[in-house]
Amino acid sequence: DAKTTQPPSMDCAEGRAANLPCNHSTISGNEYVYWYRQIHSQGPQYIIHGLKNNETNEMASLIITEDRKSSTLILPHATLRDTAVYYCIVNAGNMLTFGGGTRLMVKP
Amino acid sequence: NAGVTQTPKFRILKIGQSMTLQCTQDMNHNYMYWYRQDPGMGLKLIYYSVGAGITDKGEVPNGYNVSRSTTEDFPLRLELAAPSQTSVYFCASTNRDPTHRYNSPLHFGNGTRLTVT
């Protein structure tokens, strides 16, 4: 299963778009990209997933590059409540493992 | 649906004691997982199960045991608690058809905060 690389932390101004990158250069052709977030010490919460095409839902947008080696999660208008750790995982097998994630701090 | 329920929410153990962390889900999910999260760190997979009667080791299984006698329940057992097992433990579940590469999203419980002193 492919591993992911994310920056450990990012800042974003409230009301601005937050763009969180994820590198998954060893992804195989049929592996999906998933994003979760963890607010404070709660259980992680699913945000969005994708395979090849860009995806959008009520929470976020997911942009996957054409070669599928990287992706970006976009929170279009970040609020203070979006402050959290964001995890990108690429895993189509039984063992669903998480990396260290990106700690996003949304500032007023 | 209650989703994934974990008990207890908090527990303090003395070194060498044993305990079972309970996890139950009411979504009829076939796959269940146990993770631990140390302060300021990401989640590490301890054990997982792809169905009743089937369990397998994750990244950090030492010091833990699991069983899956029913679809709903996936308890995690600590036999001889050590300070290194101080952590927050999360249980998660999902429905998956193993013939497909897509995993439906994980549903997580609210965690059990364990301190071993």
Side-chain angles (χ1 to χ4, degrees):
Chain A
D1 294 319
K3 298 302 179 188
T4 61
T5 303
Q6 299 177 254
S9 64
M10 293 182 63
D11 290 343
C12 177
E14 188 179 20
R16 296 294 190 103
N19 297 298
L20 293 95
C22 180
N23 181 286
H24 32 80
S25 58
T26 60
I27 192 171
S28 63
N30 54 3
E31 287 186 308
Y32 283 74
V33 181
Y34 303 82
W35 283 83
Y36 291 81
R37 75 178 181 184
Q38 186 175 26
I39 296 174
H40 195 44
S41 53
Q42 299 173 19
Q45 172 193 25
Y46 165 79
I47 302 173
I48 198 168
H49 72 275
L51 181 63
K52 295 180 184 177
N53 301 320
N54 298 337
E55 303 287 345
T56 295
N57 63 20
E58 65 279 4
M59 292 181 68
S61 295
L62 175 61
I63 309 295
I64 302 174
T65 57
E66 193 169 341
D67 63 8
R68 303 206 332 117
K69 293 184 177 182
S70 65
S71 61
T72 301
L73 179 75
I74 301 173
L75 308 177
H77 306 286
T79 70
L80 299 179
R81 287 179 295 180
D82 292 321
T83 291
V85 178
Y86 288 77
Y87 296 98
C88 163
I89 68 172
V90 176
N91 197 321
N94 291 334
M95 279 183 60
L96 299 184
T97 57
F98 287 71
T102 296
R103 185 173 299 275
L104 176 69
M105 180 73 69
V106 181
K107 299 184 175 180
Chain B
N1 285 351
V4 179
T5 302
Q6 292 185 238
T7 56
K9 288 185 170 57
F10 303 92
R11 183 73 186 268
I12 298 175
L13 280 182
K14 295 189 185 304
I15 295 171
Q17 286 185 321
S18 62
M19 77 163 294
T20 299
L21 283 68
Q22 302 292 345
C23 175
T24 188
Q25 51 93 6
D26 61 359
M27 298 170 283
N28 202 32
H29 286 170
N30 52 355
Y31 282 55
M32 295 187 74
Y33 301 83
W34 273 107
Y35 296 88
R36 61 174 286 174
Q37 186 172 35
D38 298 338
M41 306 296 284
L43 291 90
K44 292 294 185 184
L45 180 64
I46 306 172
Y47 270 95
Y48 66 97
S49 168
V50 302
I54 306 170
T55 63
D56 212 340
K57 296 178 180 179
E59 303 169 283
V60 290
N62 291 344
Y64 307 94
N65 280 300
V66 292
S67 60
R68 183 98 182 270
S69 56
T70 66
T71 299
E72 296 78 19
D73 300 307
F74 190 40
L76 178 72
R77 178 91 178 150
L78 284 71
E79 290 293 349
L80 290 169
S84 61
Q85 293 177 305
T86 293
S87 192
V88 180
Y89 291 83
F90 290 103
C91 179
S93 72
T94 185
N95 230 359
R96 180 163 182 254
D97 179 349
T99 63
H100 293 92
R101 297 294 276 179
Y102 166 65
N103 293 318
S104 58
L106 284 167
H107 295 254
F108 281 84
N110 288 326
T112 293
R113 283 146 185 80
L114 176 67
T115 301
V116 182
T117 60

